[in-house]
């Protein structure tokens, strides 16, 4: 199947209130344009360099989502055009994003990335680290960022029970955080979880945003 057909069938399979982020890392702009012409507007990239290269070649109404680890020294390259940063994994990064956003007088939407997988290698905050971030004075003073929700990646495994448990954990933590820190702020509303292999489980657990690459564009070839 082609990219356009993949998008159409995903839209049918996914509830209306769940947003699809087309993960276009490693893909050529021609593939992104095919997706755009099929109605896709939200694109996810995990490298600053790829956003910088592709953004000028794509229509202006594309929403760029940063889903990969972000280094502080690269924030300045994407700060004016990023729609949502899914991968805030430290207080320092949040403070640095805030500083760059203040320079251009923009309020930038962010998600806190939470570590839910059993693998060591995946980035993200523990529940405790996220709580102390939200309690910190630095966060309270950060007027140019807005925390819109949480992001998480489950363990890469065929064990559906484990994946389900990890998504459930993130969903309950989301509720705890909302009740404790965002009672008067309805902007805390997004739960970014689910990829090609596990988005159905993620949606069952309450995901509001799924990040899908392979099921839209096909297998990635990192050697290209
Ligand atoms: C690559 C990537 C995805 C998409 O993965 P697929 O399995 O191709 O759908 C989702 N989220 C993040 C953070 C990624 O890096």
């Amino acid at each position: 199947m082609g990219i356009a057909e993949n998008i159409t069938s995903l839209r049918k399979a996914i509830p209306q209130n769940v947003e699809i982020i087309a993960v276009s890392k490693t893909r050529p702009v021609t593939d992104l344009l095919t997706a755009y012409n099929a109605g896709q507007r939200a694109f996810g990239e995990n490298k600053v360099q790829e956003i910088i290269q592709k953004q000028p070649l794509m229509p202006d109404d594309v929403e760029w989502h940063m889903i990969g680890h972000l280094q502080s020294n690269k924030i300045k390259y994407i700060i004016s055009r990023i729609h949502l940063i899914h991968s805030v994994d430290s207080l320092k990064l949040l403070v640095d994003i805030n500083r760059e956003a203040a320079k251009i007088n923009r309020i930038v939407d962010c998600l806190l990335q939470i570590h839910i997988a059993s693998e060591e290698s995946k980035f993200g905050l523990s529940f405790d680290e996220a709580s102390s971030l939200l309690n910190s004075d630095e966060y309270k003073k950060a007027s140019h960022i807005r925390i819109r929700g949480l992001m998480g990646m489950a363990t890469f495994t065929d064990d559906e029970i484990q994946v389900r448990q990890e998504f459930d954990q993130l969903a309950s933590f989301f509720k705890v955080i909302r009740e404790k820190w965002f009672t008067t702020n309805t902007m805390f509303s997004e739960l970014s979880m689910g990829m090609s292999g596990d988005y159905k489980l993620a949606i069952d657990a309450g995901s509001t945003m799924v990040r899908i690459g392979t099921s839209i564009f096909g297998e990635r070839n990192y050697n290209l």
Side-chain angles (χ1 to χ4, degrees):
M1 280 216 299
I3 293 168
E5 291 86 346
N6 290 342
I7 289 175
T8 308
S9 54
L10 268 175
R11 286 235 183 79
K12 278 187 199 135
I14 289 175
Q16 286 267 315
N17 58 329
V18 176
E19 190 180 359
I20 300 172
I21 316 297
V23 175
S24 47
K25 60 189 185 194
T26 79
R27 315 289 177 176
V29 169
T30 48
D31 283 4
L32 278 72
L33 279 170
T34 305
Y36 181 91
N37 289 329
Q40 184 65 32
R41 292 295 177 270
F43 290 85
E45 293 282 348
N46 68 343
K47 292 208 173 87
V48 165
Q49 188 60 32
E50 280 194 68
I51 298 180
I52 296 173
Q53 282 170 354
K54 292 171 181 175
Q55 186 269 335
L57 304 173
M58 291 292 291
D60 275 346
D61 62 345
V62 163
E63 294 177 355
W64 296 98
H65 292 246
M66 180 61 189
I67 62 169
H69 183 63
L70 179 57
Q71 288 170 296
S72 287
N73 60 356
K74 296 201 174 145
I75 298 168
K76 56 178 176 288
Y77 301 117
I78 57 166
I79 195 71
S80 65
R81 52 197 131 194
I82 203 71
H83 180 76
L84 179 64
I85 300 174
H86 292 231
S87 44
V88 174
D89 56 6
S90 72
L91 176 59
K92 179 184 181 297
L93 180 60
L94 195 71
V95 168
D96 291 343
I97 293 169
N98 183 67
R99 186 184 312 114
E100 292 299 326
K103 282 185 196 165
I104 59 164
N105 205 16
R106 223 195 130 192
I107 293 176
V108 172
D109 283 348
C110 299
L111 306 178
L112 296 181
Q113 182 174 354
I114 307 295
H115 182 101
I116 52 171
S118 61
E119 291 125 342
E120 287 280 339
S121 65
K122 294 203 172 145
F123 290 104
L125 300 157
S126 67
F127 293 170
D128 283 350
E129 287 165 342
S131 304
S132 54
L133 182 155
L134 292 164
N135 280 329
S136 70
D137 289 338
E138 291 99 319
Y139 163 64
K140 284 172 202 154
K141 282 188 290 194
S143 51
H144 287 78
I145 53 99
R146 193 159 45 200
I147 296 183
R148 299 290 317 277
L150 304 180
M151 184 269 245
M153 287 167 86
T155 304
F156 188 72
T157 173
D158 288 336
D159 184 350
E160 285 201 1
I161 293 174
Q162 181 178 355
V163 172
R164 198 180 288 272
Q165 266 170 3
E166 291 171 357
F167 286 146
D168 282 343
Q169 247 178 26
L170 185 58
S172 18
F173 188 54
F174 174 84
K175 285 193 194 113
V176 170
I177 291 200
R178 198 178 49 195
E179 275 153 35
K180 196 157 169 199
W181 282 281
F182 296 94
T183 39
T184 56
N185 180 352
T186 52
M187 294 296 277
F188 189 85
S189 56
E190 303 299 335
L191 191 46
S192 167
M193 57 184 195
M195 318 190 350
S196 295
D198 56 19
Y199 70 85
K200 292 193 183 85
L201 297 174
I203 291 169
D204 285 347
S207 172
T208 67
M209 275 182 183
V210 288
R211 308 175 311 271
I212 301 199
T214 309
S215 294
I216 292 176
F217 298 106
E219 293 294 334
R220 274 181 296 279
N221 183 351
Y222 284 99
N223 300 319
L224 281 178

